Amino acid sequence: MSTSSSDQLKPMLIGDQWVVREDDALESINPATGALNYRVSVADAALVDEAVATARAAAASRTWRDMLPHVRAQVLGRISDGIRANAEELARLQMIENGKVWSECQAQVASAAATYRYYAAVCETLGAEVTPSRGDYLSMTAYEPYGVVAAITPWNSPMTMEAQKIAPALAAGNAVVLKPSEVTPAVGLAVGRIALEAGLPPGILNVLPGTGSQTGKALIGHRDVRMISFTGGTITGRHIAAVAAQRLIPVALELGGKSPHIIFDDANLQAAVDGVVDGIFEGSGQSCVAGSRLFVQRSVLDQVLERLVARANSIRVDLPDAQGAQMGPVAGFRHRERIESLVDSARREKGEVLAGGRRPEGERFERGSFYLPTVIAGLSNQATAVREEIFGPVVCVLPFDDEDDLIAQANDTVFGLASGVWTANYQRAWRIARALEAGVVWINTYKQLSIATPFGGFKESGIGREKGVTGVRLYQQSKGIYWSMNPANLPA
Ligand code: NDP
């Protein structure tokens, strides 16, 4: 599969068929250059119906779900190998679609391969349970797949987000229909091809590019989709949850964040500032766990601001494939406009822009959607830029006086995805970690993630937990089985 010919029309994957459709084809645009990467076939409601029917038939045939777990694990292992073998192509596809720098794309490909490897191991080792009996019978809990799972993903990290859904859903024995973001359809298509080459039965993974309003809508409303796994914004998540509620099917939601990153006056300030910089500017801030609200104990506020502004100004913003580039563009032009309007709102609400707050200058940036690393101080915790998820390279810095003041401010948000605290006091670290309303707390580090540790949000940041062993259980329903041990109940 070529990755860069602009006259190319990429097909979608239904079963083992690569389906081309000219109508309404998506245009994939490189955010670093504004150039057309390629066009992509889009699934309308009829093709969604066809894909779900294909997935349903593949699930109903039981070939995949009844395959012995260690054999199913071998297929997942071969997908992992295939991702590794195609690492350059996959990293490049993600880079030209969402503008992440090359080193980050490479790291995300390695992470996706590791995710398939991890779920191969879970698939092979995860057992059912014999539960304590209350009589003359054996009681057990077995776990069954749902059948057809719809996976809907965002554009910021398709490589890892999609692996986090597909690998455990497959390990659980389901068939999957993936609708990737309209901005980043190519990675999912390439993984679909790799999965077929790895021996995944046709129809067990289908990939349908398209818009949310057409393809996504048809998919979540389809009567044969039995479970929805969604990662994206909170507004879309709320809508999907409402559709799932009407249909009485389970839904897993990984949604937005506005994560507090906290520095106490006893912290190693340089390490903390390094953590803050990585936590907000990596991926141009387009990360659900970005530490976008920085709370600094008042006595060290000036010191932290001085170091933070110096670090922000020294970040090398460049074309994503340039040697040494640390930050590429944001993923699109409309998205940059939204970031700009939120920074403007901060100016209107008396915020002081200490770094960035504008597009970089220079010919190489003219055709791309670049925006500089931005540090804003002086806002209240009620300001629009502090409350809304910006999903860009913008950190708002706020002071706090003591632990009570900090917890009140940090938890004063509708979100609850991630958080970080820097302090030398281990008792305080523990108190803060327990008091923060967030699904992840990092102590003296930030953005460390392990596939083995469940991940998900409190409050409006989501429902359910991906990753870890629970990541497979998310895609299964338990079944209680009672088996009489009384020989009198058997034929004589
Ligand atoms: P969106 O919610 O806009 O879109 C996510 C996906 O949902 C896309 O594939 C989109 O399609 C699709 N979609 C949109 N409307 C519908 C609909 N009515 N029915 C079905 N599907 C629909 O999010 P973004 O793509 O803009 O991603 C950014 C958001 O994702 C941020 O809020 C971020 O915090 C969150 N996110 C959360 C993570 C987590 O783990 N908690 C991780 C990464 C991101 P289309 O592409 O056409 O818009």
Side-chain angles (χ1 to χ4, degrees):
M1 201 182 282
S2 150
T3 58
S4 60
S5 134
S6 59
D7 58 357
Q8 187 193 357
L9 177 63
K10 281 185 183 285
M12 70 191 87
L13 176 60
I14 300 178
D16 56 1
Q17 300 299 305
W18 292 96
V19 180
V20 173
R21 186 170 169 271
E22 271 287 349
D23 298 350
D24 306 322
L26 289 174
E27 291 197 334
S28 166
I29 304 292
N30 185 330
T33 62
L36 179 67
N37 292 319
Y38 30 68
R39 295 180 312 123
V40 184
S41 302
V42 159
D44 60 7
L47 284 163
V48 169
D49 196 38
E50 190 181 324
V52 175
T54 303
R56 184 169 180 235
S61 83
R62 301 185 72 99
T63 312
W64 178 244
R65 62 171 285 177
D66 287 353
M67 199 179 271
L68 293 173
H70 72 283
V71 182
R72 211 166 344 124
Q74 286 164 11
V75 177
L76 294 172
R78 287 197 297 271
I79 298 176
S80 174
D81 294 342
I83 289 174
R84 243 182 280 274
N86 291 274
E88 291 274 313
E89 177 204 350
L90 291 166
R92 181 172 158 68
L93 286 172
Q94 180 169 284
M95 182 185 72
I96 64 175
E97 289 195 334
N98 73 6
K100 283 200 179 205
V101 295
W102 180 242
S103 54
E104 197 178 339
C105 291
Q106 285 178 305
Q108 292 199 321
V109 173
S111 166
T115 296
Y116 279 92
R117 180 65 59 193
Y118 173 82
Y119 280 111
V122 175
C123 182
E124 190 166 348
T125 53
L126 191 59
E129 292 126 30
V130 174
T131 50
S133 173
R134 297 177 74 92
D136 192 12
Y137 55 83
L138 185 65
S139 55
M140 293 172 277
T141 305
Y143 295 88
E144 312 281 9
Y146 283 103
V148 180
V149 169
I152 302 183
T153 48
W155 44 261
N156 59 325
S157 297
M159 204 58 244
T160 49
M161 300 284 134
E162 288 165 11
Q164 248 165 255
K165 294 190 186 308
I166 297 168
L170 296 183
N174 296 283
V176 175
V177 181
L178 169 70
K179 194 218 78 74
S181 163
E182 63 183 280
V183 180
T184 50
V187 165
L189 290 168
V191 170
R193 187 199 75 219
I194 289 166
L196 281 177
E197 288 166 2
L200 189 71
I204 293 295
L205 175 60
N206 308 271
V207 184
L208 301 184
T211 61
S213 55
Q214 180 177 241
T215 314
K217 183 173 173 230
L219 187 58
I220 59 174
H222 198 290
R223 63 187 177 286
D224 290 328
V225 166
R226 301 309 314 157
M227 190 268 175
I228 303 171
S229 179
F230 171 79
T231 298
T234 294
I235 293 172
T236 318
R238 191 173 277 122
H239 168 72
I240 288 176
V243 173
Q246 276 303 317
R247 299 194 48 225
L248 291 177
I249 60 170
V251 62
L253 303 172
E254 297 287 353
L255 307 178
K258 194 76 194 176
S259 300
H261 203 157
I262 298 153
I263 302 180
F264 277 93
D265 60 5
D266 60 350
N268 174 338
L269 293 189
Q270 198 51 50
V273 168
D274 288 347
V276 168
V277 166
D278 290 346
I280 182 65
F281 297 128
E282 193 184 55
S284 302
Q286 302 163 120
S287 161
C288 52
V289 295
S292 50
R293 294 185 299 149
L294 174 61
F295 292 99
V296 184
Q297 199 156 22
R298 204 178 292 278
S299 51
V300 290
L301 179 64
D302 290 344
Q303 281 182 67
V304 167
L305 278 176
E306 193 180 325
R307 290 174 198 238
L308 178 60
V309 168
R311 283 293 318 275
N313 285 332
S314 72
I315 287 175
R316 171 134 176 238
V317 179
D318 211 331
L319 297 173
D321 55 355
Q323 188 78 26
Q326 293 171 304
M327 214 178 91
V330 297
F333 297 90
R334 273 209 324 250
H335 183 49
R336 179 173 63 178
E337 280 169 25
R338 184 172 176 276
I339 294 168
E340 288 174 328
S341 85
L342 282 160
V343 173
D344 285 346
S345 82
R347 289 193 173 96
R348 282 196 304 279
E349 293 178 51
K350 311 252 180 301
E352 199 183 344
V353 177
L354 301 176
R358 61 181 176 82
R359 302 172 185 188
E361 284 157 10
E363 207 191 320
R364 66 199 293 116
F365 301 118
E366 273 167 13
R367 283 170 304 166
S369 48
F370 291 89
Y371 197 76
L372 286 173
T374 297
V375 178
I376 304 176
L379 288 169
S380 93
N381 204 19
Q382 305 307 314
T384 314
V386 179
R387 302 201 81 74
E388 278 194 29
E389 185 183 39
I390 299 177
F391 220 56
V394 180
V395 61
C396 297
V397 188
L398 296 102
F400 69 89
D401 292 311
D402 54 31
E403 285 183 32
D404 289 343
D405 176 32
L406 165 75
I407 291 300
Q409 291 198 66
N411 286 343
D412 182 13
T413 168
V414 296
F415 297 110
L417 192 55
S419 58
V421 54
W422 295 80
T423 177
N425 180 331
Y426 72 91
Q427 288 166 316
R428 170 194 280 157
W430 180 247
R431 278 193 303 273
I432 300 292
R434 298 307 300 265
L436 286 168
E437 294 168 352
V440 184
V441 183
W442 285 293
I443 300 170
N444 293 328
T445 181
Y446 203 84
K447 251 187 161 182
Q448 292 280 322
L449 287 163
S450 160
I451 186 63
T453 307
F455 175 87
F458 281 27
K459 294 161 42 181
E460 293 185 16
S461 287
I463 299 174
R465 295 289 179 268
E466 292 190 313
K467 300 190 174 179
V469 173
T470 53
V472 172
R473 295 298 189 219
L474 191 62
Y475 297 101
Q476 292 176 320
Q477 42 201 338
S478 74
K479 179 185 278 176
I481 300 177
Y482 297 82
W483 190 338
S484 173
M485 293 292 117
N486 185 350
N489 291 352
L490 292 172

